């Protein structure tokens, strides 16, 4: 199943950028499109949880055969820090408990589609398996801001544990 997970990650780069070499452009579709017909409410900004607006503010330059992200200072300040991130779980392997999955800024509307570009996804590696759910998942762990990930990811959270958040 590891190969299937890697294939999904590789698919993130397909068609994500259609830019002329050297031109800075917004990546993918930002944090993704939340279909108004979705039974799931859009994510709300919560104090103490990294916002998708910040994560999706990355720009990219196309350089020959690869994409080079440029992260704003607010994102770079989070690199190697313990953060909380919320999103909709996209499992990378079968089973009801996941140790390696993606969090998306929007719910998936198609089981064969990635709902956002790499700026709307966070790869998560958890300390212990997290139960799969269609509801919003919040994890806490160490964020890595990725400049040259071979699978096209911009963000990874490692040593993640489920986190609780309080909303007003």
């Amino acid at each position: 199943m590891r190969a299937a997970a890697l294939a999904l990650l590789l698919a993130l780069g397909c068609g994500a950028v259609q830019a002329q070499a050297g031109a800075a452009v917004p990546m993918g579709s930002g944090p993704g499109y939340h279909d108004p017909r979705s039974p799931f409410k859009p994510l709300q900004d919560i104090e103490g949880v990294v916002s998708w607006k910040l994560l999706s503010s990355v720009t990219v330059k196309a350089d020959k055969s690869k994409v080079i992200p440029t992260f704003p200072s607010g994102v770079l300040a989070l690199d190697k820090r313990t953060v909380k991130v919320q999103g909709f779980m996209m499992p990378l392997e079968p089973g009801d408990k996941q140790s390696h999955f993606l969090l998306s800024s929007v719910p998936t509307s198609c089981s064969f589609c990635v709902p956002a570009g790499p700026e709307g996804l966070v790869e998560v590696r958890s300390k212990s398996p997290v139960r799969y759910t269609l509801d919003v998942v919040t994890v806490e762990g160490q964020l890595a801001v990725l400049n040259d990930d071979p699978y096209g990811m911009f963000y990874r959270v490692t040593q993640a544990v489920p986190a609780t958040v309080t909303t007003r």
Side-chain angles (χ1 to χ4, degrees), residues 1 89 91-99 130-133:
M1 287 322 259
M89 184 183 274
L92 294 175
E93 296 184 357
D96 67 336
K97 292 190 175 180
Q98 301 287 313
S99 294
V130 177
R131 183 171 299 282
Y132 173 70
T133 179

Side-chain angles (χ1 to χ4, degrees), residues 14-37:
C14 298
V17 175
Q18 308 229 342
Q20 295 177 339
V25 297
M27 184 66 181
S29 57
Y33 173 73
H34 188 95
D35 190 326
R37 299 169 295 178

